Every structure is written in C-alpha cells, then in structure tokens.
C-alpha cells in the first residue's frame, strides 16, 4: 500500500501520535526506556511551543552558530560542467564547527537545560556527533559523556582531542568489535542508570520516537532559510534540491523547506565500492524493512535480520538503516533516492576544492556528485540544482591526500 503525501497537513500529521510515519518509526524499546522517551516527547511538546525557548534558540543560531548560512551560486563549476544547468550550495560548511550537526545538538542542549538535566550523553563513530555535542555541552555548561569504541578512538585522534578540549569525557568501549554499534549499546546502558540527570542526544533523524521528529524540527531551519534565500537570489524556486543521506538529518533539514513546492527532491545514498554486500551503505536502495536501535525503517540486513556490515568512504554515511521519515517519503514517491559511489564523491570533492575554493566534506561530496551527474546527463536542460553542502572537508583532507593524492587521477580535463 502506498502511503499518502499531503503537503497541507504534513508537519502536523507526520509523525502520528505514536511516532510513526506510516509503518515506519515508532518505539521498539524495553518498557523502562519507553517511559523515558515519552517523558522527553512530552517535555519537547511543551518546551518547543514556549516563546522563551524559541527566542533563545534563535539567538543562539544567530550569535553563536553564525546563522543564517549563505546560499552560494557555484558559477564556475556550473560553467565548467558544460551544460545549461546551474548548481547552488547551501553552505552548512560555514555553520560553527563546520557542519549541520550543531543545529540539532544546540536544540538538544537547550531542551536538556529546560528539562533541568545535568549531563548530555551520546555515542559517536567517527567523532563528528561527539564534537558537535561536546560543543553544545560547553555552551550550556553541562557535563558531557561520549561513548566511543576503542577502535574508533585509535582512528580518530583529532576528534578525540577536540572533544576533550571542549571538556567532554570520552568513554572507551572495550567489548565486541569496539566500534559504533557497541558504543550505542554502552550509551543505552549508561542512560538507563540515570535517566533523571542525563539526556541521551541522538545524532540524526534516527532512533526511537521522539528523536526523528525532534532532530528534523531542529534541522528545519536549513530548509526554511534556503528557500527564502534562493527565492531572493533568483526570483524562483530551485528545480531540484539534493542532499546526502546517512541517517538523514541534513537531508530532512533542507527537504522540509521544499516539501510543499513543485521541486524535485533527491536523496543520495553512499554506494561505496559498489552494490556488493558490505561495500556500501545504501539502505533504501538495497535494504528492506526491519527494526534497529528502537525504530522501524529500511535496513540492510542478512537472512536472520541482523544488520549487515556497511561501508562508505564518508564515515558519516555508513549506517545500515535510515531515518523513518525518509522511508516514508521514499514510499510516497515525494522524494527520489539515488546513489553516488566513492569515486564519484572523490571527483566532486576535488572539483569543488579546485574550481570554487571550497573543500567539502566527503559526505556532502555525494550530494554534489549527484548534482554534477544531473548537469552532465542532460546538458540541454536548464535546471537549477540546490545542493545541501552539509559540512566542510578539513576533517577528510589528510586521509584523502594520503590515499588518493591531489586529484589529478580523478579530475577530467574540463574540471582542472
Ligand atoms: C554526519 C554527517 C552527515 C550524515 O548525517 P545525516 O544525518 O545523514 O545528515 C552528512 N554530512 C556531514 C558533514 C556529517 O558530518
């Protein structure tokens, strides 16, 4: 059955009262955790409508984060691609800390403050969510515990150092494979021990209700700003809006500004080294319905329903599931989901650096790669394509240069 898409009632109807987007989302939790999530939901509903909370969040966005971030017309890149289409970038790389993640971390931190919590906790894989949350904790004067697998701690030294500098405690997770999944388990355990003083801050539009909704709501600012800015700049709406999809928070942020408009929305999943199991993280393209981390969505899984191993050159995209609202938007047909592989992302990474002077995050490079593909595939079609540039690539630079050099093997003549 195809669920409906109704733009007029979208944000009041999605999710429904039980935290579902059609059959996706929900709360698949032990009873004690479900009780805690319901408390957070109720607090969020009350606090998010308070004028004081809204005013404080606006002030933070403006004076601490540096919002609004600009929309930028990538004129040289558009021209060099040769067709009639034009690429625009929503510059979340210019948001404080260099990515969109701070948008929801500041919201979660403010919610924690209003709820009287003393500590923010979360897991982190590559460390990006940990750094954003540690930043929020420092701002609000809250304690912060970040659970991180020992293997990831060894790989991500600069982010571990950043979190510590910001005053967070990095808690090494020493069991199992010692990576992201165990860090989630460890954080849930710590949360159950003291839900009164702590708030578990989920890092994307995933996890049990109310987190997919709450993180989306905090990211909506990206889409609301981008729509206004784009119209002011060009007098029109973009024809296509595109974003990369890991858990799906930056994509939900920008898409939510345009859901009611006649714009095509394209989500881009990481195809890694190709469609073989274990070599990508394209959850909607190759997965099917299943429950992970307390919610129902598309899931890359084996015959027994165990989550499959996943991979992407962009560590922020390698998650075997995806936010339930994306699953819903996929099934309704309102958003189209496609893929970009490592090589295409690398080409976009090098091209934007060299042609526009902007080094993008490898995650964001997937969305840009898709926009570049649209320009090249239909050179006679004049479309405006708005890319959510979710973050900057400083974090990826050392790795990319060591492994792939400065781009000479990746850039065709027209993009040098
Ligand atoms: C974490 C991250 C992503 C992926 O997360 P979403 O929730 O899918 O947005 C994308 N871009 C950057 C720069 C990130 O740090």
């Amino acid at each position: 059955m195809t669920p409906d898409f109704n733009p007029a009632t979208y944000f009041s109807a999605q999710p429904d009262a039980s935290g579902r987007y059609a059959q996706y989302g929900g709360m698949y939790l032990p009873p004690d955790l479900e009780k805690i999530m319901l408390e957070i939901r109720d607090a969020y509903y009350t606090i998010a409508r308070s004028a004081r909370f809204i005013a404080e969040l606006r002030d933070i966005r403006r004076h601490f984060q540096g919002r609004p971030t600009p929309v930028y017309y990538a004129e040289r890149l558009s021209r060099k691609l040769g067709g009639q289409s034009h690429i625009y970038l929503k510059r979340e790389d210019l948001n404080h800390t260099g990515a969109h993640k701070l948008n929801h971390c500041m919201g979660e931190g403010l919610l924690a403050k209003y709820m009287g919590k003393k500590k923010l906790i979360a897991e982190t894989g590559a460390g990006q969510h940990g750094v954003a949350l540690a930043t929020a904790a420092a701002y609000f004067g809250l304690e912060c515990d970040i659970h991180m697998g020992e293997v990831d701690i060894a790989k991500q030294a600069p982010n571990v150092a950043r979190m510590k500098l910001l005053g967070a405690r990095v808690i090494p997770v020493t069991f199992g494979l010692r990576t992201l999944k165990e860090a989630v388990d460890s954080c849930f355990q710590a949360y159950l021990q003291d839900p009164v003083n702590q708030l578990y801050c989920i890092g994307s539009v995933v996890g049990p209700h109310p987190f997919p909704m709450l993180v989306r709501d905090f990211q909506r600012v990206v889409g609301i700003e981008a729509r206004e800015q784009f119209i002011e700049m060009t007098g029109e709406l973009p024809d296509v809006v595109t974003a990369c999809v890991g858990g799906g928070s930056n994509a939900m942020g920008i898409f939510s500004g345009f859901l009611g408009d006649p714009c095509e929305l394209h989500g881009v999943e990481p195809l890694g080294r190709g469609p073989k199991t274990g070599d990508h993280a394209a959850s909607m393209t190759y997965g099917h319905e299943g429950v992970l981390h307390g919610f129902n969505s598309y899931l890359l899984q084996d015959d027994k329903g165990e989550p499959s191993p996943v991979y992407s050159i962009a560590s922020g995209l390698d998650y075997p599931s995806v936010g339930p609202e994306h699953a819903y938007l996929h099934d309704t047909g309102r958003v189209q989901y496609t893929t970009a592989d490592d090589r295409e992302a690398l080409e976009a990474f090098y091209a934007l650096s060299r042609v526009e002077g902007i080094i993008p995050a490898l995650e964001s490079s997937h969305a840009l790669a898709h926009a570049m593909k649209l320009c090249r595939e239909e050179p006679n079609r004049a479309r405006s394509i708005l890319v959510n540039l979710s973050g900057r690539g400083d974090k990826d630079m050392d790795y990319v240069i060591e492994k792939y050099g400065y781009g000479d093997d990746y850039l065709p003549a027209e993009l040098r």
Side-chain angles (χ1 to χ4, degrees):
M1 195 187 68
T2 309
D4 294 337
F5 177 80
N6 182 348
T9 58
Y10 189 81
F11 290 103
S12 53
Q14 304 302 335
D16 68 14
S18 62
R20 287 181 184 274
Y21 310 78
Q23 77 267 39
Y24 303 113
M27 278 185 200
Y28 294 78
L29 295 170
D32 35 357
L33 260 175
E34 187 173 319
K35 205 176 120 247
I36 299 168
M37 291 300 154
L38 291 173
E39 276 171 31
I40 298 173
R41 178 198 65 186
D42 293 343
Y44 173 69
Y45 277 141
T46 308
I47 291 166
R49 290 189 186 107
S50 116
R52 214 155 53 91
F53 179 87
I54 293 167
E56 192 168 351
L57 191 57
R58 283 203 178 135
D59 186 73
I60 289 167
R61 283 172 174 167
R62 188 175 165 86
H63 300 287
F64 181 65
Q65 293 182 230
R67 305 202 67 89
T69 58
V71 164
Y72 170 73
Y73 172 36
E75 186 175 359
R76 278 175 305 283
L77 181 64
S78 305
R79 188 163 7 94
K80 279 174 180 264
L81 287 165
Q84 302 292 313
S85 287
H86 303 276
I87 294 179
Y88 294 79
L89 310 172
K90 174 61 173 165
R91 299 286 310 273
E92 287 304 292
D93 60 312
L94 295 177
N95 195 26
H96 179 44
T97 72
H100 71 289
K101 282 196 177 74
L102 196 66
N103 299 332
H104 60 252
C105 286
M106 293 308 288
E108 288 172 328
L110 190 61
L111 181 64
K113 181 181 127 176
Y114 276 68
M115 288 177 79
K117 307 288 184 191
K118 295 190 175 63
K119 187 189 279 189
L120 304 180
I121 66 168
E123 76 286 336
T124 196
Q128 295 304 108
H129 178 51
V131 169
L133 196 65
T135 303
Y139 177 93
F140 291 109
L142 298 167
E143 293 170 49
C144 185
D145 283 356
I146 302 294
H147 295 251
M148 191 169 184
E150 266 185 338
V151 171
D152 290 329
I153 290 179
K155 275 203 229 164
Q156 307 290 343
N159 275 344
V160 173
R162 266 184 209 112
M163 287 184 264
K164 290 183 176 169
L165 202 55
L166 291 161
R169 262 203 321 168
V170 178
I171 299 177
V173 178
T174 57
F175 56 88
L177 294 176
R178 297 173 292 149
T179 59
L180 182 62
K181 187 184 167 297
E182 290 77 22
V184 175
D185 296 340
S186 165
C187 195
F188 266 115
Q189 280 166 22
Y191 193 35
L192 277 174
Q193 281 165 18
D194 184 8
V196 174
N197 291 304
Q198 309 186 101
L199 183 68
Y200 188 170
C201 297
I202 291 180
S204 185
V205 287
V206 298
H209 183 58
F211 279 94
M213 169 184 77
L214 188 152
V215 171
R216 169 196 76 189
D217 290 355
F218 289 137
Q219 288 293 346
R220 268 177 84 178
V221 64
V222 176
I224 292 168
E225 282 176 13
R227 186 177 188 280
E228 238 178 66
Q229 293 166 318
F230 195 91
I231 292 173
E232 191 186 302
M233 202 168 178
T234 68
E236 294 169 7
L237 283 163
D239 297 298
V240 180
V241 179
T242 185
C244 64
V245 180
S249 64
N250 87 88
M252 267 329 300
I254 196 151
F255 291 168
S256 57
F258 298 91
L259 282 170
D261 294 319
C263 308
E264 286 183 25
L265 306 176
H266 297 181
V268 185
E269 299 197 292
L271 193 57
R273 302 187 199 94
K276 205 167 123 274
T277 302
D279 280 352
H280 66 84
S283 323
M284 277 176 292
T285 310
Y286 293 102
H288 52 273
E289 202 175 328
V291 172
L292 179 70
H293 297 150
F295 68 104
N296 183 40
S297 185
Y298 279 87
L299 176 65
L300 290 163
Q301 55 192 311
D302 64 17
D303 300 341
K304 298 189 194 80
E306 286 297 310
S308 305
V310 285
Y311 160 82
S312 164
I313 190 172
S315 50
L317 300 180
D318 61 359
Y319 187 61
S321 185
V322 63
E325 192 165 2
H326 285 290
Y328 172 80
L329 289 167
H330 172 276
D331 289 9
T332 62
R334 177 63 189 96
V335 179
Q336 294 159 248
Y337 293 88
T338 181
T339 60
D341 65 20
D342 283 2
R343 196 181 168 89
E344 292 166 326
L346 277 169
E347 187 201 19
F349 175 91
Y350 288 123
L352 196 70
S353 303
R354 210 179 273 201
V355 176
E356 295 285 354
I358 299 169
I359 302 172
L362 282 172
E363 290 81 4
S364 328
S365 300
H366 286 72
L368 183 65
H370 174 64
M372 289 166 60
K373 205 183 291 178
L374 293 179
C375 292
R376 285 161 162 166
E377 278 175 1
E378 295 187 273
N380 296 323
R381 208 163 160 195
R383 294 203 283 186
S384 54
I385 305 164
L386 174 62
V387 176
N388 195 12
L389 201 76
S390 54
R392 66 177 179 228
D394 305 41
K395 67 184 178 58
D396 301 312
M397 236 171 48
D398 292 349
Y399 171 80
V400 169
I401 293 166
E402 191 187 314
K403 207 147 174 218
Y404 306 99
Y406 288 94
D408 293 333
D409 297 338
Y410 287 84
L411 290 175
E414 75 271 15
L415 290 180
R416 293 196 182 178

